[in-house]
Amino acid sequence: MILSGLEISILVLSFLILLAAGVPITVSISLSALFTLSVNILFISSATTVAQRMINGLDSFALLAIPFFILAGQIMNSGGIAARLIAFAKEIVGPIRGGLVFVNIISCTLFGAISGSAAAAASAIGSILTGKMEKEGYDKGFTTAANVTSATTGLLIPPSNVLIVYSLAAGGLSIGALFLAGYIPGVLVSLAIMVVSYLYAIKKKYPKGESWDGKKLWKTCVEALPGLMLLVIVMGGIVAGYFTATEASAIAVLYTIVLSAFYRELTLKNMSKILIQSSVTTSIVLLLVATSSAMSWTMSYGDLPQSISVALLSITDNPILVLFLINILLLLVGVFMDITPAILIFTPIFLPVVQSFGIDPIHFGIIMVLNLCIGLCTPPVGNLLFVGASVANISFQKILKPMLPLYAIMLFVLMLIMFFPKLSLWLPQLFDI
Amino acid sequence: MRNKLDFGLTRLLIVLMSIMVLSTLLQVFARFIDLNVPFTEELTVYAMMWVTLFGSAYAFGLKKHVAIDALVSILDASLKWKLEVIIEFLVAVFAFLVLMIGGLWFTYITFKLGQLSPVIQIPKGWVYLAVPASGLIILIYNILNIRGILLNRK
């Protein structure tokens, strides 16, 4: 069956109208899928199909890594691990001009890397550092912008929930390989943001930090080490084949519980609060996964992926141009859609097209995630932007102007990643997974 | 009403989350000592489905699901509450049509086909029954939320 113009308009329009009115994204997605299906199929069958596709979308052991990494992240947050990371980052950047911005960026990268959640990184690090930076005369708009953009590295550097979602959407790619592929691009984004911040710090004559102190550096490093060890355990275990990504995430939960108990910052009462909070966060993410699967099914039922790829290829058959077009489309999608549904809905549409040109699915996954990360920092649907703004207690409009050079540098890194596949593929090839 | 519902749901979520973690850890350790516990994977996935459904219901009660609130935030108070009621109503439409009607029919078919879970061998319909159940809870929260909006309107 091919969706007619009428059905496509119902799909797109009902989704956009519901979304703009302020209806939760999950509800907008599933209602527009329901409306589209019921044009042709009996209403009761459409409703049943949507419910069934939602449940099917959840029926996967690989998805379990998401709740576990969320839980581990929450435990780290309240277990004093974030504060130790910041202390360590502060000693690393030492006397650099604008040091606190660098502390923010490095902490976000480290925290994002061990917690796998960009929003958690932006809020944990942002809330600790905002007050300090304001006191030392930093411009709040710029520091928040740097906080928000550097938090996206958490989605590229493993463990990353969205890379797990991509692996599912791409039909079961190796999560280990995707995780390894994310390292270099993630670090590149972080470095790029530091370059912009350094230029900004010089222009604004921000204060220099204290000079390096070997003793302090060593002390904070030792204190942050147990938290950072988590990276070694999770990635080491996956790469060496001791356990799957899902099992690694459960081990991460166990490890953070033991560590926080050792720091004496975790009580039983705390723990039940953390469990409730993480199950709410989990369900918000996974309901997006469920409803997006229903939407994705509706689209492929109507042969939409096929039509889109034909349309794309009719414009040009130059692989670079097609990749370019897809990236422009994804940037637009990212502006209006959250990253999880965007990956679930658009991977089945675009991946076959780029694969027919011989582009590696792992490479494309990194391109797609980095691309959509930019959308996470833009209004109107920019989760991270709003988290960052609310933590810093500043209206998001004030972040937008300092955001411009950061958008530009992220686009630049996106180009680099696009044209040099080795940046993503070298590490997975090195470890041969 | 809301307090009782919240209390029941949060306890359920704590239990389900704990089952997920313990069952997966059991799977890892069992493998290292060559013990065979075949049911862990299935149990964990079912617990995750339930966490998603019941956790979502709880999150709808808290209005925590991600939405674009740009329009709601710029409207003035006299229009704002009307839009909020409409949004609650649309969530209720989703809960009723998709989760309750669609979910119930889907569960019924699964029971009727006698589909069993591959390892634990229980009728899969019991797992899916959580879909209409969560729909019902969301509907109750919608009514409570709408009552709250109407009471607080200016």
Side-chain angles (χ1 to χ4, degrees):
Chain A
M1 192 196 91
I2 290 180
L3 287 186
S4 64
L6 170 73
E7 286 157 311
I8 294 174
S9 343
I10 290 181
L11 184 95
V12 175
L13 282 180
S14 61
F15 173 70
L16 287 180
I17 291 172
L18 289 168
L19 198 67
V23 176
I25 302 178
T26 45
V27 175
S28 312
I29 291 175
S30 55
L31 282 183
S32 57
L34 177 68
F35 296 154
T36 311
L37 282 176
S38 29
V39 174
N40 262 318
I41 319 175
L42 220 59
F43 184 78
I44 177 87
S45 317
S46 315
T48 311
T49 306
V50 175
Q52 183 199 359
R53 288 296 139 188
M54 280 174 62
I55 275 286
N56 268 10
L58 291 177
D59 198 346
S60 145
F61 189 65
L63 267 185
L64 272 158
I66 294 178
F68 290 156
F69 281 129
I70 288 175
L71 182 56
Q74 300 250 11
I75 296 171
M76 276 189 263
N77 226 344
S78 50
I81 297 175
R84 287 173 174 83
L85 285 181
I86 291 181
F88 176 47
K90 203 170 168 202
E91 291 307 316
I92 298 179
V93 299
I96 300 172
R97 194 175 282 284
L100 277 180
V101 189
F102 290 85
V103 175
N104 193 333
I105 298 167
I106 295 175
S107 311
C108 262
T109 309
L110 289 177
F111 190 77
I114 54 179
S115 76
S117 158
S123 72
I125 309 298
S127 61
I128 299 178
L129 285 176
T130 299
K132 233 180 240 161
M133 297 211 261
E134 219 181 353
K135 225 182 274 166
E136 295 197 13
Y138 285 76
D139 165 28
K140 217 178 185 182
F142 183 78
T143 54
T144 312
N147 180 31
V148 167
T149 43
S150 57
T152 60
T153 57
L155 300 180
L156 285 165
I157 301 177
S160 155
N161 292 339
V162 291
L163 284 176
I164 296 169
V165 169
Y166 174 77
S167 132
L168 281 178
L173 278 179
S174 152
I175 294 180
L178 273 169
F179 274 10
L180 282 174
Y183 270 117
I184 296 177
V187 171
L188 275 180
V189 171
S190 178
L191 287 174
I193 295 168
M194 284 189 216
V195 170
V196 173
S197 305
Y198 187 62
L199 295 177
Y200 194 85
I202 290 178
K203 198 177 123 199
K204 291 264 168 171
K205 299 202 174 62
Y206 281 154
K208 290 183 181 180
E210 294 157 37
S211 56
W212 274 298
D213 177 346
K215 234 191 219 158
K216 258 180 153 176
L217 187 65
W218 175 247
K219 189 173 160 267
T220 51
C221 174
V222 169
E223 277 177 349
L225 212 54
L228 293 173
M229 268 303 285
L230 190 58
L231 275 182
V232 180
I233 296 173
V234 169
M235 285 312 291
I238 297 176
V239 171
Y242 285 137
F243 30 73
T244 62
T246 304
E247 291 168 352
S249 62
I251 304 234
V253 172
L254 181 67
Y255 182 79
T256 47
I257 290 179
V258 172
L259 190 59
S260 313
F262 180 74
Y263 287 153
R264 295 177 188 280
E265 300 198 32
L266 195 70
T267 60
L268 215 56
K269 201 175 156 205
N270 252 341
M271 196 58 212
S272 66
K273 215 189 249 164
I274 290 173
L275 279 172
I276 294 170
Q277 244 173 39
S278 6
S279 53
V280 168
T281 312
T282 298
S283 67
I284 291 171
V285 176
L286 290 186
L287 192 66
L288 277 172
V289 171
T291 51
S292 308
S293 325
M295 171 66 96
S296 172
W297 187 86
T298 307
M299 286 177 149
S300 59
Y301 175 74
D303 265 341
L304 208 57
Q306 189 61 30
S307 323
I308 293 181
S309 78
V310 169
L312 262 176
L313 295 179
S314 73
I315 301 174
T316 167
D317 53 6
N318 177 331
I320 305 233
L321 276 180
V322 170
L323 200 55
F324 234 90
L325 277 176
I326 289 180
N327 268 288
I328 291 171
L329 286 173
L330 282 175
L331 281 171
L332 286 174
V333 165
V335 169
F336 292 105
M337 216 180 218
D338 201 26
I339 188 162
T340 306
I343 288 175
L344 282 163
I345 293 171
F346 289 95
T347 303
I349 295 181
F350 292 141
L351 185 60
V353 181
V354 298
Q355 264 185 307
S356 69
F357 290 124
I359 291 171
D360 193 295
I362 296 203
H363 179 212
F364 183 67
I366 302 295
I367 294 177
M368 190 164 182
V369 168
L370 176 52
N371 182 313
L372 293 169
C373 276
I374 300 174
L376 271 180
C377 309
T378 60
V381 191
N383 246 332
L384 265 182
L385 183 71
F386 298 123
V387 168
S390 81
V391 165
N393 199 12
I394 177 175
S395 77
F396 79 85
Q397 288 91 339
K398 283 196 184 128
I399 317 174
L400 290 180
K401 204 178 151 222
M403 208 65 153
L404 293 176
L406 294 168
Y407 290 140
I409 197 88
M410 282 176 89
L411 281 173
F412 174 72
V413 177
L414 178 62
M415 295 287 166
L416 279 184
I417 304 296
M418 214 159 92
F419 289 119
F420 299 99
K422 274 277 169 205
L423 291 174
S424 324
L425 298 177
W426 182 66
L427 269 181
Q429 279 162 359
L430 189 69
F431 286 93
D432 201 20
I433 59 172
Chain B
M1 183 70 184
R2 184 186 283 272
N3 289 343
K4 275 185 196 152
L5 215 48
D6 283 354
F7 182 81
L9 278 178
T10 48
R11 296 309 108 158
L12 180 64
L13 290 174
I14 292 175
V15 172
L16 289 171
M17 252 339 219
S18 312
I19 290 178
M20 280 160 61
V21 177
L22 294 177
S23 159
T24 308
L25 287 175
L26 177 67
Q27 175 174 325
V28 182
F29 292 121
R31 204 178 49 231
F32 278 107
I33 55 169
D34 270 333
L35 187 76
N36 195 14
V37 270
F39 61 87
T40 50
E41 221 171 282
E42 223 175 86
L43 179 68
T44 324
V45 171
Y46 293 159
M48 177 179 68
M49 287 179 183
W50 281 38
V51 164
T52 306
L53 290 162
F54 292 114
S56 291
Y58 180 58
F60 274 117
L62 298 173
K63 302 187 187 181
K64 276 250 178 115
H65 283 278
V66 187
I68 305 179
D69 57 359
L71 188 62
V72 177
S73 62
I74 56 166
L75 287 180
D76 43 271
S78 61
L79 286 172
K80 193 178 170 182
W81 70 268
K82 285 178 191 146
L83 182 59
E84 282 175 345
V85 170
I86 293 173
I87 291 172
E88 288 293 330
F89 175 74
L90 285 167
V91 174
V93 169
F94 158 75
F96 183 71
L97 292 182
V98 175
L99 296 180
M100 287 185 71
I101 305 280
L104 210 55
W105 191 243
F106 171 50
T107 310
Y108 170 74
I109 294 171
T110 316
F111 269 122
K112 213 174 164 201
L113 291 173
Q115 214 181 339
L116 298 179
S117 73
V119 185
I120 311 176
Q121 294 281 315
I122 50 157
K124 260 194 142 172
W126 289 112
V127 181
Y128 298 154
L129 207 55
V131 181
S134 65
L136 181 65
I137 299 173
I138 295 172
L139 216 54
I140 298 173
Y141 273 127
N142 284 143
I143 295 169
L144 293 171
N145 285 350
I146 291 179
R147 203 184 60 173
I149 296 169
L150 293 179
L151 286 176
N152 290 323
R153 70 161 187 244
K154 281 166 200 133

